[in-house]
Amino acid sequence: MAKSEPDRHWQFAAEDFKFCHRFPWGISLRSSHAFFHINPSVPFLLRAFPPEILLVAGSWVLPTSIMATLNAKVLSSTTLLFWSESHLKSIRKSGGVVDGFRRQILKMYDGFVVSGKLARQYVDHYVPQRPTYTLPNIVDENVFRDRVRRERAAKVQLREEFRIPSHHRVLVLPARLIPEKNLPRFLSAISSLPCDVARSFTLLIAGEGPLREQAECWKERNAEIDVRLLGQVGESEMIKLYAIADAFVLPSMSDPNPLSVIEALWAGLPLILSDRVGNHLEALKAGKNGWIFDAESESAMREAVEQWAVSSDQELALYGEASIKIAEEQFRTEMVVNNFLNQVLPQER
């Protein structure tokens, strides 16, 4: 629909898209509570190039999504699918008129494509007994497995580059500094750790956002805890962070299906996730490759981080190996794409 959106800092080059693609001209509108985007040419494109399958992704409430859906409904040869990564605990507004409107829009689709088990529960809640296909979020394993592995060979030098004390473990948290990521509660939780534990690791926070100043103030009050606010980080720098990390943490209050979790799996990192992270059922096996905690509980956060901090190097190595195994079994690109095509195009496979 668009090359970017407010408060997003990703960058891409056109040559990265090695397939036919188009960003139609669009208009973005933003209020203090919502963001809307519309591509006026979508109805004309659908009529000029009527698709066999139209897969609509993004928010169900975006004008372009609704407009594409309404126009595709009149194309009798088009199967209309909606890709959903939302889950019931990630909904920002529910009940009343909003729920009724959501249900009516979703009923227009012939079927749904979901990213995981929690997303399937969301679809079943609003539109039960509709065909549902699985297509989890995936990343380039050649980047987040192979490049991380190569960088990890120089882990000692990388740690020196980041000036991390030799006796510290490293915890990486890639997230925008926004309320949904739950950073203030997480920082409060680690500030209540026993002193020896709190001073045994470095927390690297990669991301930018409106809570930056609040995080800086916390740092000033808790100078004895080594927390680094790195700002927005590009892919090459993120590879280095995964390479020097000893675990990955995401304490989100609302997070439909974060790609960073899949990146961390391929990087071979133990995971420390909140129960609001939408792909935790697929990505995290408690006691095997990480720890899960209640996003609303500081004590649960603190306990999970402390369990990680006091684990032996051998235990963490086994957790990392388990993460890679889960990535291979659940998120390997070729397998995921083939499985999806076998579901949605059975007559052509």
Side-chain angles (χ1 to χ4, degrees), residues 42-99:
V42 162
F44 305 100
L45 290 171
L46 288 175
R47 294 177 193 281
F49 309 101
E52 183 179 340
I53 294 175
L54 179 64
L55 178 59
V56 179
S59 173
W60 63 271
V61 78
L62 285 177
T64 293
S65 298
I66 296 173
M67 185 169 57
T69 301
L70 291 172
N71 279 271
K73 291 299 287 184
V74 303
L75 301 173
S76 58
S77 62
T78 296
T79 299
L80 184 58
L81 303 176
F82 184 78
W83 186 83
S84 178
E85 64 175 2
S86 295
H87 56 87
L88 294 173
K89 289 187 177 181
S90 72
I91 299 173
R92 298 181 187 180
K93 293 183 180 180
S94 61
V97 175
V98 173
D99 251 15

Side-chain angles (χ1 to χ4, degrees), residues 11-139:
Q11 296 179 348
F12 70 91
E15 57 267 22
D16 291 341
F17 291 0
K18 304 184 188 303
F19 50 83
C20 294
H21 67 282
R22 180 186 301 188
F23 287 98
W25 176 78
I27 304 169
S28 295
L29 303 172
R30 186 179 185 184
S31 70
S32 57
H33 302 291
F35 166 70
F36 298 99
H37 183 83
I38 186 167
N39 301 98
S41 64
V42 162
F44 305 100
L45 290 171
L46 288 175
R47 294 177 193 281
F49 309 101
E52 183 179 340
I53 294 175
L54 179 64
L55 178 59
V56 179
S59 173
W60 63 271
V61 78
L62 285 177
T64 293
S65 298
I66 296 173
M67 185 169 57
T69 301
L70 291 172
N71 279 271
K73 291 299 287 184
V74 303
L75 301 173
S76 58
S77 62
T78 296
T79 299
L80 184 58
L81 303 176
F82 184 78
W83 186 83
S84 178
E85 64 175 2
S86 295
H87 56 87
L88 294 173
K89 289 187 177 181
S90 72
I91 299 173
R92 298 181 187 180
K93 293 183 180 180
S94 61
V97 175
V98 173
D99 251 15
F101 188 39
R102 178 188 285 113
R103 203 179 301 272
Q104 290 305 310
I105 294 293
L106 295 179
K107 280 182 178 179
M108 291 195 289
Y109 292 95
D110 300 312
F112 294 86
V113 181
V114 296
S115 55
K117 295 176 183 177
L118 292 181
R120 188 178 293 271
Q121 291 174 10
Y122 170 93
V123 168
D124 289 342
H125 176 78
Y126 286 104
V127 197
Q129 298 180 333
R130 289 291 175 90
T132 307
Y133 312 100
T134 302
L135 182 63
N137 266 327
I138 51 177
V139 300

Side-chain angles (χ1 to χ4, degrees), residues 275-293:
D275 59 357
R276 303 294 180 87
V277 171
N279 45 14
H280 79 264
L281 291 178
E282 291 79 21
L284 194 154
K285 309 301 178 188
K288 298 292 185 181
N289 75 316
W291 298 264
I292 189 82
F293 58 82

Side-chain angles (χ1 to χ4, degrees), residues 193-258:
L193 284 165
C195 289
D196 59 331
V197 175
R199 295 175 182 177
S200 69
F201 65 89
T202 296
L203 174 63
L204 302 177
I205 302 175
E208 197 54 83
L211 297 185
R212 173 86 186 211
E213 185 176 348
Q214 183 177 345
E216 292 280 11
C217 290
W218 181 92
K219 276 192 62 178
E220 291 180 9
R221 296 193 305 270
N222 298 272
E224 71 281 2
I225 303 176
D226 188 9
V227 173
R228 320 277 181 91
L229 298 173
L230 305 179
Q232 184 61 27
V233 170
E235 183 179 277
S236 294
E237 197 73 3
M238 199 66 231
I239 296 300
K240 293 181 180 180
L241 298 184
Y242 286 138
I244 63 174
D246 297 295
F248 169 97
V249 63
L250 198 58
S252 307
M253 277 296 294
S254 175
D255 221 332
N257 207 275

Side-chain angles (χ1 to χ4, degrees), residues 156-176:
V156 174
Q157 292 90 331
L158 283 175
R159 287 174 60 97
E160 290 175 354
E161 180 182 324
F162 283 90
R163 298 182 180 178
I164 295 171
S166 59
H167 62 285
H168 272 205
R169 281 186 175 160
V170 176
L171 189 57
V172 64
L173 195 170
R176 288 182 293 152

